[in-house]
Amino acid sequence: MTAVNPHAQAPARAYAQAEAHAEARRRDRKVYLRGHPLLFALLAATRGRAVRRLGGTLLVHDADAYREALTRLPLDRTAAGTTGGAARSALGGGAGGVLFDQEGGGHRADRRALAERLGTAGVARLRRDWGPSLVRGLAPLSRGGAVDVVALARELAGSVVCGLLEVRAEPGVLAEAAARAAAASVRGHLPGPPRPGARAAAARAARRLRLLLGCGEEALPAMVAVAAVNTTVAALPRAVAWCADAGLWEQAADAELRPRLVEELLRVTAASPVLPRVAAEAGTVGGCPVRAGDRLVLVARHAAGAHRRDPDGRDPAGPGVARLVFGAGPHACPGARLAEVLLGDVLEALAPYRPVVTGARVDRRAALPGWRSLTVGAGA
């Protein structure tokens, strides 16, 4: 019998792993190229510099400049075209705003109330809600069937929102309403000539969502639902596809590696890849002068290195980089822990099946880059 030299096999394994990651990246790029092609062509063409000015707009790609813009530069959180401005316009500001458009004591109070629900004890309660949905959703894999991970993500996100906001709506219906509200809002605020009926459609979608939530004219619950559903439905299926294409199920099955792999997958998927902001006062970002009223396109995807560094739980980028996809400073996303625990549970449940992707369609109408369907079946 001929002995196998492990040192001779190492280059072959490294090559195979690199090819697997390249395949995963090729698939993931489709959610940008087919869903938001013009925007991401612009971002790709300008990422050679940390900060680039195009007229009254600054494109911010560098991690340090990104942090500086979010933590040191005064921002107008109600300006048209920003996250807060779009949310207020689409969902109705109501008393107290929609969190993204707030500053000062109001923001601190609402954020503190939400953070209490998203703390360790709160996430543990939500986990009990999504656990049965996860078991039911993955049951077909044990019978040799297939699972649409997008439909599963929608059901899980709906369960989270129902538990978080203490409403009795059907999770899948609620999640679909939140997705429609977000998509309609984005279509109503895209640059260029106004789209006939876009704002009216956004208003109808927002009313339906508030009706399901039973929150009347209060917009904050609707904003929480929109944010939770759309980021989950965008990121979770893309993370599963990365695991399947790049052969990361061994890491997903390892209790020690899995938390780091989760951070890495959330980093490379960057569910909210771009944060639109407007400067409230003059200042600098990355050494570039900023005028009051300048628009800032903060590219979270590039700041976190999602475009150049593959996910690896054994060699992670580190939380200081990975967490940039959740923002920075007092307005950073309070749902980071929830996102990590939910994705960790999904990967742990999927890992024994070593799923492979059997079909995928890009969602061209979604507010965030993602899949319309992503079908997986049990692998070898």
Side-chain angles (χ1 to χ4, degrees), residues 126-144:
L126 294 172
R127 207 173 188 181
R128 292 195 291 270
D129 293 334
W130 77 58
S133 297
L134 181 57
V135 172
R136 287 194 304 271
L138 297 183
L141 293 177
S142 63
R143 303 190 295 267

Side-chain angles (χ1 to χ4, degrees), residues 73-91:
L73 184 70
L75 298 173
D76 181 353
R77 299 192 178 276
T78 64
T82 64
T83 303
R88 175 179 282 269
S89 174
L91 300 175

Side-chain angles (χ1 to χ4, degrees), residues 110-123 125 164:
D110 282 345
R111 185 181 177 86
R112 184 163 52 247
L114 184 58
E116 289 176 0
R117 298 189 182 192
L118 293 172
T120 301
V123 171
R125 286 193 296 270
L164 185 62

Side-chain angles (χ1 to χ4, degrees), residues 84 168 173 184 217 257 335 358 365:
R168 294 187 174 275
V173 173
E217 293 302 311
L257 289 175
T358 59
R365 298 173 64 85

Side-chain angles (χ1 to χ4, degrees), residues 7-325:
H7 297 292
Q9 289 183 317
R13 284 197 299 268
Y15 177 79
Q17 185 178 40
E19 282 294 296
H21 275 290
E23 176 58 30
R25 190 170 289 281
R26 280 192 291 270
R27 186 193 300 280
D28 195 62
R29 286 186 66 210
K30 292 177 182 178
V31 301
Y32 299 111
L33 298 178
R34 296 181 184 177
H36 303 265
L38 296 180
L39 173 62
F40 286 94
L42 172 65
L43 297 183
T46 60
R47 70 188 181 202
R49 292 174 60 179
V51 181
R52 185 182 293 267
R53 176 180 285 279
L54 297 176
T57 299
L58 276 75
L59 299 168
V60 181
H61 302 275
D62 175 73
D64 291 336
Y66 174 93
R67 287 192 194 93
E68 184 180 12
L70 289 173
T71 60
R72 297 183 181 178
L73 184 70
L75 298 173
D76 181 353
R77 299 192 178 276
T78 64
T82 64
T83 303
R88 175 179 282 269
S89 174
L91 300 175
V98 293
L99 197 65
F100 293 113
D101 64 346
Q102 294 172 293
E103 289 283 12
H107 175 260
R108 287 193 295 270
D110 282 345
R111 185 181 177 86
R112 184 163 52 247
L114 184 58
E116 289 176 0
R117 298 189 182 192
L118 293 172
T120 301
V123 171
R125 286 193 296 270
L126 294 172
R127 207 173 188 181
R128 292 195 291 270
D129 293 334
W130 77 58
S133 297
L134 181 57
V135 172
R136 287 194 304 271
L138 297 183
L141 293 177
S142 63
R143 303 190 295 267
V147 169
D148 180 359
V149 184
V150 174
L152 174 65
R154 192 176 295 120
E155 184 73 17
L156 294 175
S159 296
V160 166
V161 172
C162 287
L164 185 62
L165 300 179
E166 299 178 350
V167 298
R168 294 187 174 275
E170 198 283 316
V173 173
L174 178 59
E176 182 63 28
R180 287 181 181 273
S185 172
V186 168
R187 287 195 294 274
H189 288 82
L190 289 174
R195 289 156 176 77
R199 293 194 181 276
R204 288 194 299 271
R207 282 196 299 271
R208 171 164 169 72
L209 176 59
R210 289 198 299 267
L211 181 64
L212 287 170
L213 293 171
C215 61
E217 293 302 311
E218 188 180 0
L220 183 56
M223 187 66 252
V224 170
V226 165
V229 167
N230 286 277
T231 53
T232 299
V233 174
L236 196 151
R238 290 174 58 199
V240 170
W242 261 101
C243 274
D245 291 337
L248 298 175
W249 293 121
E250 182 180 346
Q251 293 188 31
D254 187 311
E256 183 178 345
L257 289 175
R258 188 166 53 248
R260 295 197 291 272
L261 176 63
V262 164
E263 280 193 345
E264 283 289 278
L265 290 168
L266 291 173
R267 177 181 65 81
V268 297
T269 54
S272 297
V274 173
L275 307 182
R277 300 290 188 265
V278 169
E281 301 177 11
T284 60
V285 170
C288 182
V290 179
R291 302 181 295 262
D294 276 348
R295 295 192 172 276
L296 306 171
V297 178
L298 309 180
V299 189
R301 169 178 165 79
H302 294 166
H307 60 304
R308 62 174 179 266
R309 181 177 179 135
D310 294 329
D312 188 349
R314 295 189 175 93
D315 182 25
V321 175
R323 287 299 180 99
L324 290 179
V325 297

Side-chain angles (χ1 to χ4, degrees), residues 314-354:
R314 295 189 175 93
D315 182 25
V321 175
R323 287 299 180 99
L324 290 179
V325 297
F326 295 105
H331 285 267
C333 175
R337 174 175 169 75
L338 172 63
E340 290 168 353
V341 174
L342 178 56
L343 178 56
D345 281 3
V346 171
L347 296 184
E348 182 180 10
L350 280 170
Y353 300 103
R354 300 296 195 272

